[in-house]
C-alpha cells in the first residue's frame, strides 16, 4: 500500500522513457485493489488515452484458467490427473500422444510439439487452428520428445486440454470457464476469447521497433480451438482479482490441496530460479516465492505475479509485441520490497520528510526522492530495476538530508542541500557529489527551448522552467 502512489508514477515514467504505446497495471491485496492505473495510449493513431478498463489479450494467462478447470473436474470425480489423454479424447488412441497423461500436459512435461509444424497463425498469415486443424496438428508427429524428459512448452497440449474439459463436463470449454471461474469471481471484463461486440474497448496492439522505425497496429483475431491455451481477454484489475483466489485459504475456485498441486514445482524453466507447476510458473528469485504467468499475443505482452501466502498480486499489461511487461513487473516488485523493508532507527522518517520528495533531473539523468513506508529513498527510474541505485536518506537539518546508505558510487555520507521557493516547493537540490538538479518539469522546459547545451545554458533553470 505504501508503494502504490510511487509505483504509479514510476510506471508512467518508464512508459514514456521506453516509448511503449501503453501500460496498464493493477495491484491487489486480497479483495482490495490498491492500485489500478494506465499510462500512454490505447490507440496511437486516434490519440485515445489508455484507461484501466481497456481490454487486453492476455494470451498464455489462459493456461491458468484451463488448469483450474481441470483441477475442478478432478475434485468433482470426472477425471484424474494421471489419466492418459486418449481416455477422454478417443480420436488420439492410436497416436504417439495417446498415453501422455493430463498431468504431463498441464506441466509441459509431455514432450509434445509447441505449436505444430506451421505456426504462422501467430503472424496472422492464416487463421488460428479450428478443431479439425488442431486434430491434424496433434496427429502429425506431435510427440517430439518422450514424456518427462524436460520442460517443453506446448500450446497444442493446452488446446487439447480444452477439449478434455468440454468432453468431461459436457459443456463447451468457453462456457465452462465462464460459469465456473469467471462467473464465480464476478470478473466483468474477462472472457475466454475475443469479444467482437466489445472490439472498441480493446487496446490496439502494435508491432515492434526492432525491425522498423515505427509501429503499426495489429488486428485482433479469434484464437478458435486454441482459446484454452491463449485466447483470454481481460484487464489488469480483473486478473489480480482472479489470481488472489489462488491464495491458500481461499476456496472460491479450488481446495488448498488442488492449489498446492498447481503450485508444485514440477519442472525447472530456469535452474534455481523459475519453475513450472500445473498451469502456473513459480519464481524463486530474490528470496521470494511467487506464482503467476506471462502472456504473448500479437501486439499484447502481459505479466502477472502473486504471493499465494499473502494474497498480494500484481499485473502489468503492455500493448506492443516488444512490450516490457515482465521487466516492469519485476521492477514494480522491487519497489514493493523497498516499501516493506524495516528501517534502522537512525533512518526512520515520517510524513514531515515529504517536503523533500519529488522527481529531479540534471543533464545526466533523473532521480526520484520518495518516502516508502518509514524510509526516505533516492533512486533512479531510468533503470529496469531501481534497487541497485537506491540511496537511503535521513533528515540532517531543515533543508538537508544525509545519504546514510548507498553503493560506493552513490555519495554515501554526503549531504543533499534543498532550496525551497516561497510556496514551499523545491526549486533545486545539490548533491550528493555537488551537482545541482531541478524539478523535472523545470529542466524539461529549459531543454525544450535550448538548441545546444553550451557553457552556461543550464545556469538559468528555474522552478517555472
Amino acid at each position: 500500500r505504501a508503494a502504490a502512489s510511487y509505483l504509479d508514477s514510476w510506471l508512467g515514467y518508464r512508459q514514456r522513457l521506453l516509448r511503449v504505446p501503453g501500460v496498464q497495471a493493477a495491484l491487489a491485496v486480497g479483495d482490495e485493489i490498491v492500485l489500478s492505473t494506465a499510462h500512454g495510449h490505447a490507440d496511437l493513431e486516434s490519440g485515445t488515452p489508455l484507461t484501466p478498463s481497456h481490454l487486453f489479450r492476455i494470451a498464455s494467462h489462459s493456461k491458468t484458467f484451463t488448469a483450474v478447470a481441470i483441477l475442478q473436474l478432478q475434485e468433482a470425480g470426472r477425471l484424474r490427473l494421471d489419466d492418459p489423454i486418449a481416455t477422454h479424447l478417443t480420436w488420439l488412441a492410436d497416436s504417439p500422444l495417446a498415453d501422455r497423461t493430463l498431468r504431463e500436459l498441464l506441466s509441459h512435461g509431455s514432450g509434445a510439439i509447441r505449436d505444430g509444424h506451421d505456426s504462422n497463425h501467430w503472424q496472422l498469415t492464416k487463421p488460428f487452428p479450428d478443431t479439425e486443424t488442431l486434430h491434424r496438428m496433434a496427429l502429425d508427429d506431435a510427440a517430439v520428445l518422450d514424456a518427462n524428459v524436460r520442460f517443453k512448452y506446448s500450446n497444442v497440449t493446452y488446446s487439447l486440454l480444452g477439449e478434455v474439459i468440454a468432453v468431461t463436463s459436457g459443456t463447451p470449454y468457453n462456457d465452462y470457464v465462464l460459469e465456473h471461474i469467471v462467473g464465480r469471481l464476478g470478473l466483468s471484463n474477462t472472457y475466454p476469447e475475443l469479444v467482437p461486440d466489445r472490439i472498441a474497448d480493446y487496446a490496439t496492439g502494435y508491432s515492434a521497433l526492432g525491425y522498423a522505425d515505427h509501429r503499426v497496429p495489429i488486428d485482433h483475431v479469434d484464437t478458435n480451438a486454441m482459446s484454452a491455451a491463449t485466447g483470454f481477454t481481460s484487464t489488469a484489475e480483473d486478473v489480480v482479482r482472479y489470481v488472489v483466489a489462488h491464495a491458500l485459504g481461499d476456496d472460491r475456485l479450488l481446495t488448498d490441496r488442488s492449489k498446492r498441486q498447481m503450485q508444485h514445482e514440477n519442472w525447472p524453466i530456469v535452474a534455481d530460479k523459475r519453475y513450472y507447476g500445473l498451469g502456473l510458473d513459480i519464481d524463486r528469485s530474490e528470496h521470494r516465492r511467487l506464482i503467476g504467468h506471462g502472456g504473448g499475443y500479437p501486439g499484447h505482452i502481459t505479466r502477472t505475479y502473486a504471493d499465494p501466502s499473502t494474497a498480494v498480486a500484481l499485473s502489468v499489461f503492455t500493448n506492443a509485441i516488444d512490450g516490457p511487461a515482465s521487466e516492469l513487473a519485476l521492477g514494480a516488485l522491487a519497489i514493493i520490497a523497498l516499501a516493506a523493508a524495516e528501517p534502522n532507527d537512525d533512518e526512520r522518517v515520517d510524513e514531515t520528510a515529504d517536503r523533500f520528495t519529488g522527481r529531479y533531473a540534471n543533464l545526466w539523468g533523473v532521480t526520484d526522492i520518495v518516502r516508502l513506508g518509514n524510509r526516505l529513498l533516492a533512486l533512479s527510474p531510468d533503470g529496469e530495476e531501481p534497487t541497485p541505485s537506491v540511496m537511503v536518506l535521513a533528515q540532517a537539518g531543515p533543508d538537508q538530508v544525509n545519504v546514510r546508505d548507498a553503493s560506493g558510487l552513490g555519495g554515501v555520507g554526503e549531504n543533499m542541500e534543498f532550496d525551497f521557493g516561497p510556496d514551499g516547493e523545491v526549486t533545486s537540490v545539490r548533491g550528493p557529489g555537488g551537482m545541482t538538479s531541478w524539478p523535472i518539469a523545470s529542466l524539461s522546459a529549459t531543454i525544450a527551448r535550448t538548441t545546444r547545451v553550451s557553457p552556461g545554458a543550464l545556469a538559468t533553470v528555474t522552478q517555472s522552467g
Side-chain angles (χ1 to χ4, degrees), residues 2-11 335 359 368 370-372 379-381 386:
S5 177
Y6 177 64
L7 184 56
D8 189 16
S9 172
W10 181 82
L11 286 167
I335 291 168
R359 177 162 289 150
D368 286 341
V370 58
R371 183 170 64 89
L372 292 178
L379 50 85
S380 171

Side-chain angles (χ1 to χ4, degrees), residues 14-27:
R14 297 293 294 167
Q15 178 267 321
R16 292 187 295 275
L17 178 70
L18 299 174
R19 303 297 189 261
V20 184
V23 173
Q24 185 188 83
L27 175 64

Side-chain angles (χ1 to χ4, degrees), residues 103-154:
R103 187 188 306 275
E104 289 164 349
L105 271 64
L106 285 166
S107 66
H108 294 299
S110 70
I113 198 166
R114 180 186 169 106
D115 283 287
H117 297 291
D118 180 359
S119 61
N120 281 310
H121 46 274
W122 286 108
Q123 301 194 82
L124 308 192
T125 65
K126 62 177 185 175
F128 273 75
D130 57 17
T131 300
E132 181 181 352
T133 304
L134 175 64
H135 288 193
R136 287 201 302 269
M137 292 163 64
L139 295 169
D140 182 17
D141 294 325
V144 179
L145 300 175
D146 290 336
N148 295 315
V149 171
R150 57 166 294 161
F151 175 80
K152 186 182 186 309
Y153 200 77
S154 174

